[in-house]
Amino acid sequence: AYVLSDGFPVPGVGLPSLAMIKGDQVAACVAAASIVAKVTRDRIMVGLHERYPEYGFDEHKGYVTRDHTKALAEHGPCPEHRFSYVNVGRALRNNGGVAMGEDAGEHLVGEVPGDGRTEGARA
């Protein structure tokens, strides 16, 4: 077994591996895996829209858009948001450290993830 990854090494993979810059343009198997991953992610986002319609996940599929940014500012993040992303951490801090729960009246309170981190979206 040998792992090819697109762009960056995968820590802890436990197999021989190679991180390939622009791997989806160089290796057909990496390109195919990228397509499968995108289609899978899009389906997950449509499912999340059913649970959290206020975010419009079915439209933006998790990409930072003007509407997504507006929904984050208005509602704060939900538990499925990536708290390590700067824009999500900012929305959480601006929402008093409260993330929306599954039920409209339920809130999850905890640490403010993403504070001081730079990985992920910066919008």
Side-chain angles (χ1 to χ4, degrees), residues 8-79:
F8 301 96
V10 179
V13 74
L15 295 169
S17 62
L18 174 66
M20 302 172 62
I21 303 294
K22 300 191 183 228
D24 58 342
Q25 296 175 19
V26 177
C29 60
V30 175
S34 295
I35 293 168
V36 170
K38 182 182 183 326
V39 169
T40 301
R41 193 261 340 271
D42 289 354
R43 289 179 180 162
I44 290 168
M45 298 308 289
V46 169
L48 282 176
H49 176 73
E50 293 175 15
R51 290 172 55 195
Y52 305 105
E54 58 276 1
Y55 295 102
F57 289 132
D58 61 330
E59 292 291 323
H60 61 71
K61 307 291 194 292
Y63 289 101
V64 178
T65 64
R66 202 171 282 142
D67 289 341
H68 187 190
T69 300
K70 182 179 174 188
L72 273 172
E74 187 174 332
H75 302 287
C78 70

Side-chain angles (χ1 to χ4, degrees), residues 87-103:
N87 63 328
V88 176
R90 182 183 310 121
L92 187 62
R93 286 188 300 279
N94 292 342
N95 199 36
V98 178
M100 176 182 279
E102 288 191 23
D103 297 325

